[in-house]
């Protein structure tokens, strides 16, 4: 079993990883950038080590600095969190070479899953539905990056004449965290839902499928509100997706916690989108409805332990997560955060914390759960009303307005981006 | 307000937004059909078309006029994009609507400005339209009621926009010469181009609550002058205090107030001859008793008389220069069916009121307000009733800084020339310049228990005898009782005094009777008579 973990991440996920490590008796070291010295993770971890300047490329994306820090602090493992280097096969490989356990899938698996175009081909060969390819003469179409992260790098081309411009802007919009400039073209589908199949797989081939998540409330293709279980997709369709997921996991030989993402169109066809080979932001809702600690699962499996979960884990209740983000930078004046039964807040902010302009604006994840979905929505409304944060503008009103929508309440709402 | 109160308001506003229901921008509560908050009475901005709708809902008629002057100059001056946007969102073709209104039998021309159309700025086109509106009203002998809103000059049109202000004022000048009433309603927000041309030039200026009214925008003051201004800077209350407004009137009452004002300002007055006469007296009270009564805190003050004499007085505030003197109540109302302008000195009934009213000491701005009201009375052929009760004109720093001496003499000079009958009655303490400045009249009476003196007895003792307490044995020497004044021939009559009801009746009867007596003079004779009275005041 792992003894000491280097956390190569920041913000709420760094805090989240520390929480589990504390319970498991694992020592923690937080690798932080210069401006992150005042974060909650640095305060909570057993040790903290500065790995470079504030810009991500100097710190959280700086592979040599991170590995050096792990070695110097005597860590036997590292947890990459999400984003940054979490799905970088080179990083996983070099960690392994340095004798450090990468908490996540092996580097050869990451190498396979990282290329979206290649994964799509793999899925197609297995008979799993994928979004049909397009060529640039048949607009509208979608340009996707093989290595794009989340919605980044996705561009919709309405007219043939816009193609070159869209391709250029797709390239520009890619963050420094993702290398490669391979793009592929897909037909536009009548998008209805974005479904995540969460799974846990070990090194011995045992696969467990956890309740699926509905992540259909997005902004610029970035998820904003997620929930589980999925409420408005036929059960048979979900089961098919789960079966396809298992096929794909087996084919890839995936050996840790991951997610297979599917899109469903309005005609109830589903399409494989990609594999996320890391812990996801919205893993919290799955934890709430199953009682499983997914970070613990990651650590146990990375330590070589067997997956002891049943093949199919069902949801005991319904959980919703809202991502609270800052719209500007400022010193936070926190007067109140939600409280009460079945209310979970994953955050790293504290009174007087100054939001850093270099990183993701997520400041807290508000998660509520209840036996009934409608009651969970009511709880979420109250939770959002309890949030009193001054000093920076947040998206709390937009979140509230979304979950108050008639179509959200019946489960049919979806929104992905302005281009839709 | 606590953080939680603010949160509550934020939540209320958001919930209203979700339900697509207009909400109070102040407290987030529901609005009524007049866009006034049901909870805090905050007045939200009202679009011009909605105002017309309300006039019609109240049984009024509205017929649009001069629409042909809505000329689109936005291409010439290169702002067509904004112009088109505002055309679409307001359904108007320029920011000013002119119409002929008939409400409760009163016909007037109305000018409505739309703040949501190019911020209600004055342009070449709507400047012409407003000018035409005043010319139309002048030609048709109709009053004008303006609902002002919006900003300054449409800057895109440069100096052409600027001169609209003067152009409108030229037509306003002709309109005023005709003696027609102009009522201006200032709504949120009204600024420079409007306020510095016609907006604050109403015979009556009414503001809606929580309107911002000013010359230069707040940003301009903060960013260019780098001046720190108070929170209430340019608020309706601030402008009222600065003397620029007559009143702040809730939206629900504005139309009625306009109708009441137009009913008074119509130069159609009747003075009946069959009035009963007041009861006269010899004023045989001892000076110390008189003084004691005058100094009694429970004594009747100006505001008591105001609400007994008039059923529904319209109090008009402000000197239109710098201040509204609270120690002087001025306005319009009806006594025994006679439409009247009143000027009433008002002491306080208790310490709080006395502090508010400066102990009844008239300030220079008070005299200037009195002059303004006398001129208004002259323009609309209303007699003036003046009730005197003041320990004197204010002698302090604030008064000197505003040229108190000049204000008193200007008051006298102006009242000498005011072309309408003036009746003055000393109801309490008539003292020094404070009384004299407002004593210039066609008849002057005193209540039997009133005083009229060159100085207060306290000051008299202090200056002449170097003793700050009043010396009872010296009071008689001051000759300030009604009998003293009557014997010197300085007042015309001594009115018998009793309860408030009785005194009110006495004032009413004396006023009506005096007007009947004065009605046999034409204006020239009246002014000659007034001149001779004052010229020979000390000759028995
Ligand atoms: Zn309100």
């Amino acid at each position: 079993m792992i003894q000491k973990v280097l956390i190569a991440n920041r913000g709420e996920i760094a805090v989240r990883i520390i929480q589990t490590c504390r319970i498991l008796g694992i020592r923690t070291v937080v690798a932080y950038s210069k401006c992150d010295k005042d974060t909650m993770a640095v305060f909570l971890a057993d040790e903290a080590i500065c790995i470079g300047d504030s810009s991500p490329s100097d710190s959280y994306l700086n592979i040599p600095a991170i590995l050096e820090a792990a070695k110097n602090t005597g860590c036997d493992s590292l947890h990459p969190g999400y984003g940054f280097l979490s799905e970088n096969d080179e990083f996983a490989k070099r960690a392994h070479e340095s004798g450090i356990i990468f908490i996540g899938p092996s580097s050869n698996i990451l190498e396979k899953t990282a290329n979206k175009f290649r994964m799509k081909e793999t899925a197609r060969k297995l008979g799993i539905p994928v979004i049909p390819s397009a060529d640039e003469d048949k607009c509208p179409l979608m340009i996707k990056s093989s290595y794009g992260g989340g919605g980044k790098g996705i561009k919709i081309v309405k007219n043939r004449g816009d193609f070159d411009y869209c391709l250029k802007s797709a390239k520009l919009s890619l963050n420094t965290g993702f290398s490669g400039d391979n793009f592929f073209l897909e037909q536009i589908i009548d998008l209805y839902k974005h479904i995540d199949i969460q799974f846990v797989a070990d090194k011995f081939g045992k696969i467990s499928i956890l309740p699926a998540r509905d992540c259909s409330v997005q902004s610029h293709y970035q998820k904003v509100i997620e929930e589980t279980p999925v409420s408005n997709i036929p059960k048979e369709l979900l089961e098919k997706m789960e079966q396809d997921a298992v096929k794909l996991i087996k084919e890839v030989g995936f050996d840790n916690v991951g997610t297979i993402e599917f899109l469903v169109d309005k005609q109830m066809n589903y399409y494989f989108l990609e594999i996320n080979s890391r812990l996801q932001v919205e893993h919290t809702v799955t934890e709430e409805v199953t009682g499983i600690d997914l970070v613990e699962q990651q650590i146990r499996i990375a330590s070589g332990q067997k997956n002891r979960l049943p093949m199919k884990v069902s949801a005991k209740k319904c959980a919703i997560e809202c991502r609270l983000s800052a719209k500007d930078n400022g010193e936070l004046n926190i007067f109140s955060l939600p409280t009460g039964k079945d209310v979970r807040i994953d955050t790293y902010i504290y009174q007087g914390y100054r939001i850093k302009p270099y990183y993701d604006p997520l400041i807290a994840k508000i998660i509520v759960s209840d036996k009934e979905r409608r009651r969970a929505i009511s709880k979420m409304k109250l939770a959002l009303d309890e949030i009193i944060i001054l000093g920076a503008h947040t998206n709390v009103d937009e979140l509230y307005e979304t979950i108050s929508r008639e179509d959200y309440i019946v489960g049919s709402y979806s929104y992905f981006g302005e281009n839709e | 307000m606590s953080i939680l109160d603010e949160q509550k308001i934020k939540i209320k506003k958001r919930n209203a937004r979700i339900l697509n229901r207009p909400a109070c921008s102040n407290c987030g509560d529901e609005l009524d059909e007049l866009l006034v908050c049901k909870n805090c009475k905050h007045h939200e901005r009202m679009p011009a078309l909605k105002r017309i709708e309300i006039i019609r809902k109240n049984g009024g008629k509205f017929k649009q006029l001069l629409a042909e002057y809505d000329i689109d100059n936005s291409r010439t001056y290169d702002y067509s994009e904004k112009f088109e946007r505002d055309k679409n969102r307001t359904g108007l073709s320029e920011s000013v609507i002119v119409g002929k209104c008939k409400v409760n039998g009163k016909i007037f021309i109305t000018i409505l400005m739309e703040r949501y159309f190019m911020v209600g700025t004055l342009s070449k086109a709507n400047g012409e339209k407003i000018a035409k509106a005043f010319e139309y009203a002048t030609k048709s002998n109709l009053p004008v009621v303006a609902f002002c809103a919006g900003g300054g000059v449409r800057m895109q049109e440069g100096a052409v926009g600027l001169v609209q202000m003067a152009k409108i004022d030229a037509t306003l000048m002709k309109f005023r010469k005709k003696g027609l009433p102009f009522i201006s309603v200032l709504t949120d927000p009204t600024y420079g181009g409007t306020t510095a041309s016609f907006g604050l030039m109403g015979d009556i200026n009414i503001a809606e609550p929580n309107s911002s009214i000013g010359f230069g925008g707040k940003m301009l003051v903060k960013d260019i002058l780098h001046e720190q201004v108070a929170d209430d800077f340019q608020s309706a209350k601030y402008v009222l205090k600065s003397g620029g407004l007559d009143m702040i009137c809730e939206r629900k009452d504005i139309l009625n107030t306009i109708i009441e004002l137009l009913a008074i300002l119509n130069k159609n007055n009747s003075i009946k001859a069959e009035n009963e006469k007041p009861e006269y007296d010899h004023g045989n009270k001892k000076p110390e008793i008189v003084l004691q009564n005058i100094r009694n805190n429970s004594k009747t003050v100006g505001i008591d008389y105001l609400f007994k004499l008039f059923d529904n007085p319209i109090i008009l505030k402000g000197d239109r220069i710098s201040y509204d003197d609270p120690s002087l109540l001025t306005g319009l109302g009806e006594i025994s069916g006679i439409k009247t302008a009143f000027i009433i000195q008002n002491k306080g009934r208790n310490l709080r009121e006395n502090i508010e009213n400066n102990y009844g000491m008239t300030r220079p701005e008070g005299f200037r307000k009195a002059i303004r009201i006398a001129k208004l009375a002259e323009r609309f052929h209303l007699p003036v009733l003046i009730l005197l009760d003041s320990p004197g004109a204010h002698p302090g720093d604030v008064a000197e800084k505003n040229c108190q001496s000049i204000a008193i003499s200007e008051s006298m000079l102006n009242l000498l020339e005011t072309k309408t009958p003036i009746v003055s009655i000393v109801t309490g303490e008539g003292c020094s310049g404070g009384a004299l400045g407002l004593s210039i009249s066609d008849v002057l009476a005193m209540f039997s228990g009133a005083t009229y003196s060159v100085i207060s007895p306290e000051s008299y003792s202090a200056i002449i005898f170097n003793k700050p307490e009043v010396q009872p044995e010296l009071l008689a020497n001051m000759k300030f009782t009604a009998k003293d004044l009557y014997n010197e021939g300085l007042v015309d009559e001594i009115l018998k005094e009793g309860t408030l009801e009785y005194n009110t009746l006495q004032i009413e009867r004396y006023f009506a009777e005096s007007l009947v007596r004065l009605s046999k003079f034409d204006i020239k004779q009246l002014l000659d008579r007034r001149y001779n009275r004052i010229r020979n005041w000390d000759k028995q």
Side-chain angles (χ1 to χ4, degrees):
Chain A
M1 183 75 174
I2 283 163
Q3 299 296 314
K4 190 172 184 183
V5 133
L6 181 97
I7 297 161
N9 214 306
R10 65 178 305 282
E12 64 87 21
I13 196 62
V15 173
R16 169 73 194 86
I17 296 161
I18 293 169
Q19 285 166 349
T20 293
C21 290
R22 279 264 187 114
I23 295 165
L24 298 177
I26 299 168
R27 292 184 59 79
T28 50
V29 181
V30 159
Y32 64 90
S33 77
K34 231 176 199 171
C35 72
D36 269 349
K37 196 177 185 341
D38 63 350
T39 55
M40 188 57 90
V42 171
F43 164 70
L44 290 174
D46 297 312
E47 292 170 46
I49 181 164
C50 182
I51 46 164
D53 274 337
S54 310
S55 159
S57 57
D58 292 333
S59 48
Y60 300 111
L61 294 171
N62 185 345
I63 296 175
I66 295 168
L67 294 177
E68 193 63 27
K71 274 185 273 179
N72 290 346
T73 50
C75 289
D76 55 11
S77 58
L78 70 82
H79 197 305
Y82 54 65
F84 298 126
L85 295 170
S86 60
E87 292 180 280
N88 187 303
D89 56 298
E90 178 68 19
F91 183 46
K93 196 171 142 206
R94 285 172 61 180
H96 183 72
E97 285 163 6
S98 312
I100 290 164
I101 298 171
F102 179 86
I103 302 176
S106 332
S107 61
N108 64 319
I109 291 165
L110 283 178
E111 197 196 337
K112 284 188 224 166
T113 58
N115 189 321
K116 289 180 184 177
F117 184 69
R118 252 170 54 199
M119 272 315 299
K120 201 179 143 184
E121 284 308 298
T122 309
R124 199 174 53 77
K125 280 177 196 151
L126 289 170
I128 299 169
V130 293
I131 297 174
S133 298
D135 70 65
E136 58 185 273
D137 289 322
K138 283 193 189 125
C139 289
L141 56 78
M142 205 184 300
I143 301 180
K144 276 190 181 170
S145 156
S146 293
Y147 294 96
K152 286 181 187 117
I154 295 181
K155 281 280 170 291
I156 286 176
V157 189
K158 284 189 179 134
N159 307 303
R160 174 68 185 88
D162 301 336
F163 185 81
D164 291 340
Y165 170 77
C166 287
L167 185 64
K168 202 188 272 173
S169 75
K171 284 178 184 173
L172 279 175
S173 70
L174 279 184
N175 213 356
T176 40
F178 304 94
S179 58
D181 55 356
N182 294 315
F183 289 88
F184 59 99
L185 310 180
E186 277 181 355
Q187 288 177 19
I188 303 257
I189 60 162
D190 209 357
L191 191 53
Y192 172 54
K193 289 278 181 188
H194 179 125
I195 304 296
D196 279 6
I197 307 287
Q198 174 76 56
F199 65 89
V200 176
D202 63 11
K203 294 181 194 302
F204 313 100
K206 163 109 185 263
I207 299 165
S208 297
I209 299 292
L210 276 59
R213 293 184 292 253
D214 182 344
C215 309
S216 308
V217 182
Q218 308 189 0
S219 167
H220 308 281
Y221 300 99
Q222 304 284 325
K223 295 168 187 170
V224 179
I225 300 172
E226 303 97 344
E227 63 177 86
T228 188
V230 173
S231 69
N232 222 356
I233 295 279
K235 218 178 150 204
E236 310 78 62
L237 203 69
L238 267 179
E239 277 168 5
K240 270 196 202 161
M241 281 187 250
E242 287 172 1
Q243 285 159 13
D244 283 349
V246 172
K247 269 195 242 172
L248 204 55
I249 297 159
K250 278 188 179 152
E251 173 70 23
V252 177
F254 207 99
D255 59 353
N256 205 292
V257 172
T259 303
I260 307 217
E261 298 193 329
F262 288 99
L263 298 179
V264 178
D265 69 12
K266 286 181 182 142
Q267 294 74 40
M268 291 297 158
N269 302 307
Y270 69 93
Y271 308 93
F272 163 74
L273 182 66
E274 63 185 55
I275 300 190
N276 289 153
S277 311
R278 54 171 160 84
L279 191 65
Q280 281 185 294
V281 179
E282 62 273 26
H283 73 278
T284 53
V285 288
T286 307
E287 292 185 329
E288 289 306 296
V289 302
T290 59
I292 295 166
D293 181 332
L294 284 171
V295 175
E296 181 182 342
Q297 295 300 322
Q298 283 188 302
I299 292 171
R300 290 196 182 283
I301 289 164
S303 303
Q305 294 186 11
K306 280 184 178 167
N307 168 19
R308 292 182 200 286
L309 301 174
M311 304 260 283
K312 171 120 184 168
V313 181
S314 54
K316 295 190 194 83
K317 47 183 180 172
C318 169
I320 303 171
E321 173 184 276
C322 281
R323 298 192 191 183
L324 184 70
S325 298
K327 290 178 173 174
D328 40 34
N329 304 312
E331 190 176 303
L332 296 178
N333 206 348
I334 304 162
F335 289 96
S336 153
L337 287 175
T339 54
K341 186 172 174 286
D342 300 327
V343 175
R344 165 175 172 181
I345 303 168
D346 279 23
T347 187
Y348 68 109
I349 58 164
Y350 54 86
Q351 174 66 21
Y353 177 72
R354 184 170 278 282
I355 295 168
K356 309 296 181 331
Y358 308 98
Y359 315 112
D360 190 280
L362 179 72
I363 55 177
K365 302 187 299 199
I366 317 297
I367 305 106
V368 299
S369 54
D370 196 281
K371 280 228 157 28
E372 282 174 44
R373 187 171 176 275
R374 274 172 194 257
R375 285 169 55 114
I377 294 173
S378 298
K379 268 185 198 170
M380 181 60 88
K381 283 185 177 176
L382 182 60
L384 294 177
D385 278 353
E386 284 180 68
I387 298 173
I388 308 179
I389 296 176
L390 304 183
H393 291 97
T394 71
N395 64 335
V396 66
D397 279 358
E398 286 93 321
L399 292 170
Y400 193 100
E401 280 167 39
T402 303
I403 62 164
S404 303
R405 292 175 60 107
E406 292 285 327
D407 48 0
Y408 181 81
I409 293 165
V410 300
S412 66
Y413 177 68
S414 58
Y415 184 81
F416 299 95
E418 281 160 357
N419 293 343
E420 278 303 302
Chain B
M1 194 162 46
S2 88
I3 303 280
L4 292 181
D5 291 331
E6 282 172 30
Q7 175 82 348
K8 195 151 202 165
I9 289 169
K10 219 180 113 201
I11 287 171
K12 270 198 213 168
K13 284 190 200 172
R14 184 204 61 207
N15 289 349
R17 206 162 55 231
I18 289 171
L19 296 172
N20 210 357
R21 191 189 68 204
C24 170
S25 60
N26 185 43
C27 79
D29 240 323
E30 257 185 88
L31 302 178
D32 65 15
E33 65 278 11
L34 295 178
L35 305 185
V36 176
C37 175
K38 287 179 179 173
N39 173 41
C40 75
K41 296 267 175 258
H42 185 86
H43 284 51
E44 294 297 324
R45 289 169 182 173
M46 176 172 269
L49 286 176
K50 178 111 181 143
R51 254 179 227 284
I52 296 171
E53 194 186 304
I54 281 161
I55 290 171
R56 286 184 172 141
K57 256 193 195 157
N58 281 286
K61 283 184 185 145
F62 178 90
K63 194 178 141 228
Q64 211 192 171
L65 296 175
L66 310 172
E68 65 273 23
Y69 290 95
D70 287 348
I71 293 157
D72 180 356
N73 292 315
S74 67
R75 253 164 285 273
T76 318
Y77 298 104
D78 201 22
Y79 60 92
S80 48
E81 204 175 294
K82 281 185 179 163
F83 195 83
E84 284 303 314
R85 177 200 67 194
D86 290 353
K87 263 170 87 168
N88 289 332
R89 73 173 181 184
T90 59
L92 303 179
S93 42
E94 244 294 357
S95 65
V96 172
I97 307 174
V98 172
K100 193 183 204 171
C101 269
K102 189 175 177 186
V103 183
N104 282 6
K106 297 276 174 294
I107 302 173
F108 55 89
I109 298 299
T110 185
I111 299 167
L112 298 122
M113 300 177 73
E114 177 51 73
R115 196 254 165 208
Y116 293 104
F117 195 108
M118 297 299 298
V119 206
T121 44
L122 281 188
S123 67
K124 190 177 173 183
N126 65 29
E128 183 66 22
K129 194 171 177 181
I130 295 170
K132 287 279 183 219
F134 277 111
E135 284 171 353
Y136 183 94
T138 312
K139 201 177 72 196
S140 347
N141 257 321
L142 288 171
V144 171
V145 177
F147 291 89
C148 303
V153 166
R154 195 165 299 170
M155 271 176 275
Q156 292 92 334
E157 297 193 1
V160 173
L162 185 68
V163 301
Q164 300 306 317
M165 294 168 63
K167 193 167 96 180
I168 294 168
D169 271 9
T171 60
L172 175 61
M173 184 266 284
K174 293 269 183 194
F175 173 85
R176 287 166 67 99
K177 279 242 158 112
K178 190 102 183 253
L180 293 162
F182 169 37
I183 297 172
S184 186
V185 182
L186 291 299
T187 73
D188 186 53
T190 310
Y191 276 86
T194 304
T195 52
S197 57
F198 66 101
L200 285 167
M201 280 293 112
D203 292 299
I204 312 292
N205 292 336
I206 304 171
E208 286 196 333
N210 64 265
S211 303
S212 284
I213 301 157
F215 172 63
K218 267 179 215 169
M219 295 305 273
L220 197 78
V221 177
K222 275 184 193 158
D223 296 348
I224 296 184
L225 294 182
H226 301 290
E227 253 185 43
Q228 288 296 316
V229 292
D231 285 347
D232 71 340
F233 182 63
Q234 296 178 337
S235 70
K237 280 182 187 159
Y238 171 99
V239 183
L240 186 73
K241 217 177 153 188
S242 308
L245 294 172
D246 286 291
M247 64 182 90
I248 296 171
C249 186
E250 281 189 37
R251 193 172 281 153
K252 66 176 169 57
D253 300 324
I254 283 185
L255 214 50
N256 276 340
T257 305
I258 290 167
I259 298 305
E260 279 171 29
L261 283 165
L262 291 178
I264 295 178
L265 301 177
N266 70 353
K267 296 189 186 171
N268 194 358
N269 221 345
S270 65
I271 293 161
K272 290 169 284 176
E274 69 271 20
N275 277 298
E276 284 189 55
K277 293 203 180 339
E279 294 182 292
Y280 297 113
D281 193 17
H282 300 295
N284 277 336
K285 288 181 181 149
K286 286 204 168 93
E288 55 270 29
I289 305 289
V290 169
L291 188 66
Q292 207 177 355
N293 282 341
I294 296 280
R295 289 285 186 267
N296 189 343
N297 260 345
S298 61
K299 203 190 169 310
T300 308
V301 297
I303 199 158
D304 299 321
Y305 285 124
L306 175 69
F307 286 101
K308 282 278 171 195
L309 284 166
F310 300 92
D311 280 342
N312 206 3
I314 302 173
I315 297 174
L316 303 178
K317 293 191 172 183
D319 64 353
R320 298 284 166 90
I321 300 169
S322 60
Y323 187 62
D324 175 62
D325 185 348
S327 75
L328 201 69
L329 297 164
T330 60
L332 307 172
E334 267 187 39
I335 301 183
S336 314
I338 307 163
K339 293 162 189 164
T340 304
F342 57 81
I343 297 168
I344 300 174
Q345 284 180 324
N346 185 34
K347 288 182 185 173
R349 284 169 292 201
N350 48 47
L351 185 63
R352 185 183 58 79
E353 283 185 6
N354 263 319
I355 289 168
E356 276 175 13
N357 295 351
N358 265 321
Y359 293 85
M361 293 184 289
T362 309
R363 282 179 44 164
E365 299 90 341
F367 290 109
R368 291 182 182 125
K369 177 162 77 166
I371 294 168
R372 179 174 92 77
I373 295 300
K375 284 189 172 157
L376 184 74
E378 176 183 278
R379 269 168 62 69
F380 296 101
H381 305 180
L382 303 167
V384 181
L385 171 67
I386 301 176
L387 301 184
L388 296 169
D389 181 21
S390 163
H394 198 296
D397 186 54
V398 284
E400 290 293 3
K401 276 193 176 133
N402 286 298
C403 301
Q404 179 66 290
S405 304
I406 293 176
I408 293 170
S409 44
E410 272 191 340
S411 179
M412 291 192 287
L413 283 167
N414 272 283
L415 291 178
L416 271 165
E417 290 195 300
T418 301
K419 297 185 191 73
T420 187
I422 305 173
V423 175
S424 277
I425 302 168
V426 189
T427 56
E429 190 175 11
C431 192
S432 183
L436 188 66
L438 300 171
S439 298
I440 310 304
S441 55
D442 300 306
V443 288
L444 176 62
M446 266 177 94
F447 271 127
S448 56
T451 66
Y452 200 107
S453 58
V454 65
I455 193 165
S456 75
E458 292 85 351
S459 308
Y460 180 81
S461 295
I463 294 167
I464 308 281
F465 301 101
N466 212 6
K467 285 175 185 165
E469 304 85 25
V470 176
Q471 309 295 305
E473 67 277 13
L474 302 174
L475 284 177
N477 296 349
M478 283 189 68
K479 297 204 179 302
F480 59 61
T481 66
K483 192 182 177 187
D484 296 326
L485 271 285
Y486 187 78
N487 287 342
E488 291 276 4
L490 298 177
V491 296
D492 298 311
E493 307 288 354
I494 300 170
L495 294 171
K496 203 171 159 189
E497 199 175 330
T499 61
L500 171 61
E501 278 70 24
Y502 178 79
N503 292 351
T504 306
L505 205 62
Q506 287 281 81
I507 295 170
E508 229 178 271
R509 287 175 177 171
Y510 182 71
F511 181 63
E513 196 221 3
S514 303
L515 290 182
V516 171
R517 273 192 282 128
L518 295 169
S519 65
K520 58 179 183 272
F521 306 113
D522 65 20
I523 291 296
K524 192 183 173 303
Q525 288 168 325
L526 189 76
L527 292 189
D528 285 348
R529 185 180 171 278
R530 194 183 300 158
Y531 166 79
N532 286 321
R533 261 173 69 77
I534 304 303
R535 176 66 185 84
N536 303 306
W537 208 352
D538 54 351
K539 298 186 181 111
Q540 292 194 7

